Amino acid sequence: MLQGALAGLAAGGLYAVLAVCLTLMSRLVRVVNFAQSATGMFGCYVAVFLSVQFGLPTGLATVAGILLGGLLSALLGWIVSTWLAEADTGTRSAVTVAVLLLLISLSFILFGNKPQPFHPILDGPAFTAGGVVISQVTVVTVVLAVLVALASRLVLTRTSAGVELRALSERPTTAELLGIPAKRLSVAVWAVTGVISTLVISIVAPSQSNDATSLAMLVVPAAAAALLGGFRRLDLAVAGGLVLGLIQGAAAQVDGLSVVRYFLPFGVIVALLLWSQRKEVWDAAR
């Protein structure tokens, strides 16, 4: 079970990175981006297509896929910022659900509905501790999750762009009246989170279920991790993603729980939503 739990850390790091991206999107541009992993999936699929069909070197194809993932996310952000600037969070988030379904359908049309032959970017063990093998993918995804969270915090608190983003998220009308370029900053947030999502998916996809639906629906466990921090706290988003990956990895080693692990993110989401509403329920009961 320990080996399984540590193997689950690779997925946990992926969840954590995506959860940080979801938290940033929610805090800064008022969107729960359900297409967060779908844009990354599509960019990775295009990278595999370029490598297999056109013989493009794996590294170059991966870079092209990552840039495409960021471009798709930026395009979606531009659409939302242009036509839904005054809409509420629910409406803006609903648009991303449509994009999620669109990208899954488009990937079926262009690439089929079978898993793609991803070439591993990282392969093999990183080190062995107490007889337990830790893979390179596990180390990189966990470190990447922590670094993305720390870098985001530093940018938001120590740079002028970060201060403008915080002002835009807290007082959008006032920020625009002061001359802060709201649309440009919003699209930049979409683009950066799109690049990060595509990067981490391209690292983990060769060792995970990599059909289009599975990769696109990685947003569900990521949302469960982000919900732990209320879509506000980056540290809890990272912790939630890593713990969720550990639990899923350990459950995979138990025959009676191997199927349950697929439903665990949904259970976590329901439990956290019920817990977040406890005050209103208790107040009504009193």
Side-chain angles (χ1 to χ4, degrees):
M1 287 187 69
L2 179 60
Q3 180 71 59
L6 292 177
L9 266 181
L14 170 62
Y15 302 158
V17 174
L18 293 177
V20 169
C21 292
L22 288 174
T23 301
L24 289 174
M25 294 290 291
S26 177
R27 285 180 56 179
L28 301 178
V29 295
R30 299 180 293 114
V31 171
V32 179
N33 185 12
F34 292 103
Q36 189 75 66
S37 54
T39 53
M41 172 276 295
F42 196 82
C44 291
Y45 266 39
V46 170
V48 172
F49 180 79
L50 293 176
S51 178
V52 173
Q53 298 296 325
F54 294 96
L56 205 65
T58 301
L60 189 58
T62 302
V63 171
I66 291 172
L67 293 177
L68 177 61
L71 181 61
L72 288 174
S73 187
L75 177 60
L76 177 56
W78 180 81
I79 292 172
V80 171
S81 301
T82 301
W83 285 289
L84 297 172
E86 303 299 327
D88 59 17
T89 301
T91 303
R92 293 157 68 92
S93 301
V95 173
T96 67
V97 176
V99 175
L100 163 68
L101 299 176
L102 173 64
L103 290 177
I104 292 176
S105 301
L106 192 59
S107 67
F108 285 166
I109 294 172
L110 296 178
F111 311 113
N113 58 358
K114 296 181 180 179
Q116 296 298 302
F118 281 92
H119 182 78
I121 298 176
L122 299 171
D123 196 15
F127 59 90
T128 303
V132 178
V133 178
I134 309 297
S135 68
Q136 295 180 23
V137 173
T138 299
V139 174
V140 170
T141 53
V142 172
V143 171
L144 186 60
V146 175
L147 289 179
V148 169
L150 290 176
S152 300
R153 183 176 180 82
L154 288 175
V155 169
L156 292 176
T157 57
R158 301 294 179 86
T159 66
S160 58
V163 173
E164 290 179 347
L165 282 169
R166 288 163 54 201
L168 190 62
S169 65
E170 297 294 335
R171 297 288 188 273
T173 303
T174 304
E176 290 187 44
L177 290 174
L178 291 174
I180 292 177
K183 187 174 180 179
R184 189 189 315 161
L185 287 174
S186 296
V187 173
V189 172
W190 284 84
V192 170
T193 54
V195 167
I196 294 172
S197 299
T198 311
L199 170 62
V200 71
I201 289 175
S202 66
I203 293 173
V204 177
S207 59
Q208 300 288 320
S209 298
N210 57 36
D211 60 282
T213 303
S214 297
L215 291 180
M217 295 308 293
L218 286 171
V219 71
V220 175
L227 191 59
L228 180 64
F231 285 92
R232 302 292 299 177
R233 292 187 54 177
L234 298 175
D235 55 344
L236 290 181
V238 173
L242 296 179
V243 170
L244 185 57
L246 281 171
I247 295 174
Q248 283 188 320
Q253 306 304 312
V254 181
D255 292 337
L257 298 177
S258 58
V259 177
V260 176
R261 75 183 190 275
Y262 296 112
F263 303 97
L264 183 61
F266 296 98
V268 171
I269 290 174
V270 172
L272 289 174
L273 287 176
L274 291 174
W275 177 254
S276 67
Q277 299 300 314
R278 69 193 185 284
K279 186 176 184 300
E280 288 78 1
V281 174
W282 291 345
D283 286 346
R286 285 197 296 270

